Amino acid sequence: MTDFALNTAPFSVLVTSRSPALRAALTELYPLSLLSKVDANTIYDFSLDVRRRWAGWGRPFHVSSGQQHFRMTDKAQLVPVFEWGLNWCIASYQHQYLAIHAAVLEHGGKALILPAPPGSGKSTLCAVLMQQGWRLLSDEMCLIDLSSGLIWPYVRPVSLKNQSIALIKQWYPDARVRQITRGTTKGTVGYLLPSDLSWQAYQQPAQPAWVVFPQYQPEQTELMLTPLPKADAFMHLAYNSFNYNVLADEGFTALSALVQRCATYRLEYADINQVIRELNALC
Amino acid sequence: MLARPLLDFLTNPGHFVQQADGARWTAFLQLARQHGLTARCYYMLQSQGLMSQVPEQIRLHGLSAARYSKKQQHSLFYELQQLEAVFGRADFPCVLLKGAAYRALALPMSYGRLFADIDLLVPKAQLRSARDKLFFAGFAELPLSDYDRAYYLTWSHQNPPLQHYQRGTVIDLHHHIYPPASAKHIDIQVLLEHATPLPGSAFLVPTLAHLFLHAAVHLFYQEETHRLLKDIIDLQDLLNEVQQQQQLEFIWQQAQQMQVQSALVDACQVLLTLFDNQAARQLLTQHSVVRRQRLGASLVLAMLTGTGMTAWAARQLWFLRGHSLKMRWHILLYHAVAKPANGLRQLWRSKLKPR
Amino acid sequence: MATLANALTVSQSYPQWLQQQSDTALLQTRFNDGSSVAFSLLTHETSIAGPAVVESVQTEAKPT
């Protein structure tokens, strides 16, 4: 057994695995200080089993949480399946925060929320802004504190897909993209390491200030940043939430407070440099 | 069974809270989620005044689960409200069973208790009428093979599950609490007769004694094991309620009338052994059946507390026992012959289909 | 912004809940741009509130 712990915040995970492969791969993605031996005095929020059943090389790995099976994978796709497995645990069980499917970055103590369905260019945009000096809170999950309204970071490597891997490398030759895996259910996946600034503040919340719904439009020549009625922004955020329905009146109240204090926009763009200029100008 | 830390918690939360280190809490969280008992444990901690001694992290995960269960509670109430008009006009009783009944009565055991569907009981003669009424309220049967549908209607004690076309809610519409085609003949007439209406509602609920007997039948006369821990803790809490409402004599008498004494004794033996349940002790002593442990009780205890081979062997025996109780030989034969034959027929049809 | 008088508690039985329900039990938020959303405590549905609902709002959410 090579059990180990991944001490991310606000959630940690205990990984049970018979193979050293996963831990070795994760050392490329997470700071070594966050990967540790299992400590009997620590409570881990989630537990993931990553192991081969019916022991033997060449058998697929099963990723599961207790008896709840998540997915089977071969060794080559262990990292993405692990990352998705961890997201799945959190999306299924945590209702401590209102969780929205969105990227979150911070500048000057204020948080920018980028909610968007897959294909809208959210991850690429998130990666670009981080490379431009914004602090990454999350590329996937916006965690809103139900009482304070603050956004808590959940710093993890930024998941880039397909063409965006090449684009990021082209725009930022020093960007650290690791563990590129081909042929996953989402195509080619690679992980951009969070900036040092992001890791240093990985337990520091931020005040929400802007909600921007991005949409990549290749034919667009001029960027369009249009104010969005707050009621519309509210509905879109609720729709993009993992647990708005579960939280019922608490979710409504928390989301109302967030939308009330944020400026809300729709962003249609083709040229990434225009986006950087426009979003930096917001601050 | 590997659920030991969770069982330890349920047996004595106070002791668990004092002793647990990080590793025990980590295992507890994992197991509680797996068995759907996180929210239930949260409310147990709250009602026993233990929350202040619990690590903040555990409290927050408990609260998370409690929010989820509260949403379920609302969904149930809302769904029942939608059905008030349907059953308000009906000329037959509709009785809430299991989780829906516990929750409607707000029994403390229902705090944080999760459920998957709404169980309703109507007299057998009105099953069809009830199904039609539900159909016009938006509930339709989930797609089933002809074989499975015939099986439900001929041998089981319920209609195939009904799902609301928009809200997704699932109703299990029963005409009995146990397959009437099985070797056990359970008389549910007394359950229906003693059921009382909920104030302001068209629905009825069974007495606590009948709720307990149903839960005991559900656990001890079948072969499944995946909800064992949840079922046991339900029985424990229900029996305490039965005692509080002074229905202990009544429950014994009702068990005899319904011909389910063996399930009652099995349940009492397990609860006495695991939780030192005083109501169980009283029932067993008064009716002098305390000495010999019944097979059902022994198997459940072995599955819950045994290790390795013992627990494994108990599971195999439990499976055989459950099946033989539920199905008489001719039904088994029907299953063994008709199901494969039906499969072959469908395979044949699919091969013949034009591409 | 909201009245929580109808919020569900765990100790509430179905008959108690039933008595308290009304079709108009709404949480409402009026945003500082004038738009408005409502949440029904009965159906748990969220909607963009139309003018009729907006007019019935008693207290507005405080702009920050």
Side-chain angles (χ1 to χ4, degrees):
Chain A
M1 287 288 189
T2 53
D3 294 2
F4 63 94
L6 180 57
N7 302 289
T8 40
F11 303 114
S12 58
V13 58
L14 171 72
V15 186
T16 305
S17 175
R18 287 210 181 92
S19 148
L22 179 64
R23 186 182 172 157
L26 292 181
T27 57
E28 282 196 25
L29 298 184
Y30 291 91
L32 288 179
S33 58
L34 296 188
L35 280 160
S36 69
K37 281 188 187 153
V38 177
D39 170 19
N41 293 315
T42 304
I43 301 170
Y44 298 101
D45 298 287
F46 297 99
S47 305
L48 270 180
D49 279 12
V50 181
R51 47 178 127 187
R52 292 185 157 109
R53 301 268 161 85
W54 324 114
W57 301 117
R59 307 294 307 169
F61 286 87
H62 291 249
V63 178
S64 57
S65 178
Q67 281 168 8
Q68 276 137 304
H69 174 76
F70 173 61
R71 207 174 278 188
M72 238 164 54
T73 176
D74 59 25
K75 195 174 166 185
Q77 299 190 8
L78 207 46
V79 169
V81 172
F82 169 80
E83 286 288 313
W84 298 333
L86 187 48
N87 291 342
W88 163 72
C89 283
I90 291 153
S92 318
Y93 292 112
Q94 95 65 37
H95 308 299
Q96 176 179 337
Y97 303 97
L98 172 63
I100 290 166
H101 188 204
V104 189
L105 299 116
E106 176 261 343
H107 197 289
K110 297 199 262 182
L112 162 71
I113 302 169
L114 298 166
S120 58
K122 174 199 63 168
S123 295
T124 320
L125 209 52
C126 172
V128 164
L129 290 172
M130 184 183 79
Q131 292 300 125
Q132 291 290 326
W134 289 66
R135 165 165 80 102
L136 173 79
L137 279 83
S138 173
D139 74 320
E140 273 287 318
M141 217 176 289
C142 171
L143 300 173
I144 301 158
D145 192 303
L146 290 170
S147 41
S148 71
L150 294 173
I151 301 181
W152 286 86
Y154 186 32
V155 182
R156 306 259 301 274
V158 177
S159 150
L160 295 174
K161 278 158 230 118
N162 304 316
Q163 309 92 304
S164 58
I165 299 172
L167 282 175
I168 293 294
K169 281 183 164 175
Q170 182 194 326
W171 294 333
Y172 304 97
D174 59 344
R176 294 167 297 176
V177 184
R178 302 281 185 269
Q179 292 289 327
I180 297 173
T181 310
R182 289 181 176 75
T184 77
T185 48
K186 299 183 182 180
T188 301
V189 177
Y191 291 92
L192 171 67
L193 302 193
S195 59
D196 294 345
L197 171 73
S198 309
W199 277 124
Q200 279 153 18
Y202 80 116
Q203 289 178 302
Q204 196 178 307
Q207 191 76 245
W210 310 279
V211 182
V212 175
F213 294 87
Q215 184 57 59
Y216 175 69
Q217 302 276 22
E219 306 86 34
Q220 193 119 3
T221 47
E222 271 306 299
L223 171 146
M224 302 255 288
L225 187 68
T226 330
L228 187 66
K230 291 202 168 185
D232 293 6
F234 182 104
M235 296 304 282
H236 287 304
L237 285 165
Y239 185 73
N240 277 292
S241 170
F242 295 102
N243 60 355
Y244 174 79
N245 281 328
V246 172
L247 294 173
D249 48 303
E250 284 185 281
F252 179 83
T253 307
L255 194 55
S256 289
L258 178 127
V259 172
Q260 190 67 281
R261 70 157 61 103
C262 285
T264 54
Y265 300 98
R266 184 201 317 277
L267 170 73
E268 289 157 285
Y269 69 99
D271 178 0
I272 200 77
N273 287 314
Q274 288 179 0
V275 177
I276 297 167
R277 259 200 313 279
E278 197 71 29
L279 291 181
N280 280 333
L282 282 178
C283 310
Chain B
M1 199 151 175
L2 296 166
R4 197 71 224 201
L6 183 56
L7 185 61
D8 290 346
F9 177 95
L10 296 168
T11 320
N12 191 342
H15 186 255
F16 185 94
V17 167
Q18 275 167 10
Q19 303 286 315
D21 61 359
R24 289 274 281 177
W25 278 122
T26 303
F28 164 82
L29 268 184
Q30 176 76 347
L31 287 165
R33 285 190 193 118
Q34 191 173 311
H35 290 265
L37 288 169
T38 319
R40 187 102 171 251
C41 293
Y42 174 82
Y43 287 112
M44 281 172 80
L45 288 167
Q46 200 176 62
S47 70
Q48 300 191 21
L50 292 165
M51 206 59 97
S52 60
Q53 301 168 46
V54 171
E56 178 68 355
Q57 218 175 333
I58 299 297
R59 190 186 67 81
L60 288 172
H61 283 296
L63 182 61
S64 269
R67 288 190 168 118
Y68 184 83
S69 76
K70 205 167 131 186
K71 174 71 186 181
Q72 271 204 339
Q73 178 190 353
H74 176 272
S75 305
L76 172 72
F77 286 1
Y78 180 64
E79 205 58 61
L80 292 180
Q81 194 209 29
Q82 298 305 105
L83 294 174
E84 287 293 343
V86 175
F87 290 103
R89 284 194 298 268
D91 52 0
F92 55 85
C94 181
V95 183
L96 302 179
L97 295 177
K98 298 195 254 187
Y102 311 155
R103 185 60 263 177
L105 290 165
L107 300 179
M109 62 170 297
S110 72
Y111 297 4
R113 188 184 180 282
L114 300 183
F115 46 87
D117 35 36
I118 301 173
D119 294 290
L120 304 178
L121 174 74
V122 297
K124 181 156 198 206
Q126 275 89 35
L127 181 74
R128 208 196 150 113
S129 164
R131 187 177 67 207
D132 293 346
K133 285 177 191 297
L134 286 169
F135 179 81
F136 286 107
F139 286 89
E141 284 175 17
L142 294 161
L144 278 180
S145 71
D146 291 351
Y147 171 84
D148 285 339
R149 185 154 196 283
Y151 172 77
Y152 261 110
L153 295 177
T154 322
W155 307 116
S156 94
H157 52 302
Q158 66 183 77
N159 197 72
L162 298 161
Q163 189 174 40
H164 192 270
Y165 77 109
Q166 268 179 334
R167 298 191 293 272
T169 331
V170 175
I171 290 181
D172 272 346
L173 183 64
H174 301 252
H175 59 79
H176 203 284
I177 62 168
Y178 195 68
S182 63
K184 290 255 174 220
H185 288 287
I186 300 175
D187 182 3
I188 61 161
Q189 200 48 43
V190 285
L191 185 155
L192 288 167
E193 281 165 11
H194 283 94
T196 50
L198 285 167
S201 162
F203 294 102
L204 291 87
V205 278
T207 65
L208 280 166
H210 291 118
L211 285 171
F212 180 92
L213 291 173
H214 181 200
V217 164
H218 184 70
L219 172 58
F220 286 99
Y221 294 168
Q222 52 88 49
E223 74 294 346
E224 285 171 13
T225 56
H226 63 287
R227 290 206 199 89
L228 199 54
L229 208 47
K230 188 182 174 194
D231 289 347
I232 293 289
I233 197 73
D234 276 353
L235 286 172
Q236 155 80 351
D237 290 348
L238 274 171
L239 193 59
N240 291 337
E241 289 286 333
V242 168
Q243 187 182 31
Q244 266 182 21
Q245 304 217 355
Q246 303 183 331
Q247 293 185 6
L248 280 185
E249 262 323 294
F250 179 65
I251 201 173
W252 187 263
Q253 173 212 333
Q254 292 298 300
Q256 281 179 316
Q257 288 214 22
M258 292 170 72
Q259 302 188 37
V260 295
Q261 301 102 307
S262 63
L264 176 58
V265 173
D266 275 326
C268 286
Q269 288 184 340
V270 169
L271 297 182
L272 179 61
T273 312
L274 283 180
F275 305 107
D276 196 26
N277 185 304
Q278 289 313 300
R281 183 187 302 279
Q282 196 180 325
L283 275 172
L284 292 173
T285 318
Q286 272 172 13
H287 302 279
S288 39
V289 273
V290 79
R291 291 235 176 81
R292 195 173 50 88
Q293 194 161 68
R294 294 179 39 84
L295 177 65
S298 310
L299 291 178
V300 164
L301 288 167
M303 287 189 287
L304 281 172
T305 59
T307 46
M309 277 304 283
T310 326
W312 181 86
R315 263 201 307 281
Q316 311 312 310
L317 273 173
W318 179 256
F319 183 79
L320 281 176
R321 174 185 168 277
H323 262 299
S324 65
L325 280 171
K326 235 170 153 176
M327 293 186 182
R328 277 177 295 177
W329 64 268
H330 66 266
I331 310 176
L332 275 171
L333 195 67
Y334 177 76
H335 248 316
V337 179
K339 191 147 191 170
N342 192 55
L344 274 177
R345 198 162 64 231
Q346 295 208 343
L347 183 73
W348 184 242
R349 275 193 206 144
S350 69
K351 292 274 180 225
L352 286 179
K353 257 192 203 142
R355 295 268 153 110
Chain C
M1 170 164 70
T3 152
L4 281 170
N6 294 67
L8 181 68
T9 57
V10 73
S11 57
Q12 208 166 27
S13 70
Y14 174 60
Q16 287 168 340
W17 179 87
L18 207 51
Q19 261 192 339
Q20 287 187 5
Q21 292 315 300
S22 76
D23 293 340
T24 52
L26 287 179
L27 297 184
Q28 297 167 2
T29 303
R30 188 174 194 173
F31 294 113
N32 41 21
D33 68 350
S35 69
S36 200
V37 286
F39 176 81
S40 159
L41 287 166
L42 176 63
T43 64
H44 276 196
E45 281 168 352
T46 307
S47 53
I48 293 185
V53 175
V54 175
E55 274 165 30
S56 75
V57 172
Q58 298 297 311
T59 46
E60 285 182 21
K62 283 190 204 106
T64 48

